[in-house]
Amino acid sequence: SAVISQKPSRDICQRGTSLTIQCQVDSQVTMMFWYRQQPGQSLTLIATANQGSEATYESGFVIDKFPISRPNLTFSTLTVSNMSPEDSSIYLCSVGDRADTQYFGPGTRLTVL
Amino acid sequence: AQTVTQSQPEMSVQEAETVTLSCTYDTSENNYYLFWYKQPPSRQMILVIRQEAYKQQNATENRFSVNFQKAAKSFSLKISDSQLGDTAMYFCAFYNYNTDKLIFGTGTRLQVFP
């Protein structure tokens, strides 16, 4: 399985600011996914990021709020824009050559004050 | 729409004992995959076990095994000889090629006591 790192591991941010989360993999992968895990809740898919194409967003998530980049096969970023306390969550990236086999990063714990 | 239900928000077990976590799902598809993921306090989601729906044999990984009942749409996880390191949130997840994404249940928090 791939080794996946995320930066930052945690952050505390002020309302109205933006945070960019990085996801780095130690090998080339076709698909990268971004999930949100609100406190005490399950994982919800935000979007799928494939290299060379626009990210595909799930219902309830929009590009203006969660812009995603996928410049190559080992790296992706998720930006949480114009943050509010409701954005306080753990953000996880996962990777895989197919969506049916995903390996997860350690997550980024975001607190918005 | 596919749904995944975990009816046990919390479970506890004594070290070395066996515990079973429940998961049911709803789908009209015939070909799909089911998973159990573990999320310890470190937050890292770890794939515990995977089951292909077309396989009748239950998947096993060391101390972890599943009881897959396709007709009943049930997919329970049995942990034998529980260890303190098994303390974690456990998520059941479903995948099929039509939706092409993982759908997670709400999780079961397992506490292993010495």
Side-chain angles (χ1 to χ4, degrees), chain A residues 34-36 38 44-47 56-66 91:
Chain A
W34 287 99
Y35 289 84
R36 181 175 72 183
Q38 293 178 302
T44 301
L45 181 64
I46 298 172
T56 302
Y57 288 82
E58 296 298 309
S59 176
F61 298 96
V62 295
I63 187 171
D64 290 346
K65 176 67 175 177
F66 297 101
Y91 291 87

Side-chain angles (χ1 to χ4, degrees), chain A residues 58-84:
Chain A
E58 296 298 309
S59 176
F61 298 96
V62 295
I63 187 171
D64 290 346
K65 176 67 175 177
F66 297 101
I68 287 170
S69 78
R70 179 83 196 271
N72 57 52
L73 292 174
T74 63
F75 186 78
S76 178
T77 66
L78 168 76
T79 298
V80 186
S81 304
N82 188 25
M83 287 184 287
S84 68

Side-chain angles (χ1 to χ4, degrees), chain B residues 10 19 25 68 70 83 89:
Chain B
E10 295 184 357
V19 64
Y25 58 95
F68 173 47
K70 190 172 183 179
Q83 301 176 358
M89 281 288 289

Side-chain angles (χ1 to χ4, degrees), chain B residues 37-66:
Chain B
Y37 280 89
K38 167 185 176 181
Q39 187 180 40
S42 66
R43 301 195 308 264
Q44 180 91 47
M45 290 280 286
I46 301 164
L47 177 62
V48 175
I49 202 162
R50 163 189 163 127
Q51 174 82 43
E52 290 89 348
Y54 66 85
K55 288 187 178 178
Q56 293 187 335
Q57 186 172 6
N58 289 325
T60 299
E61 287 289 342
N62 301 315
R63 297 181 297 107
F64 299 88
S65 62
V66 298

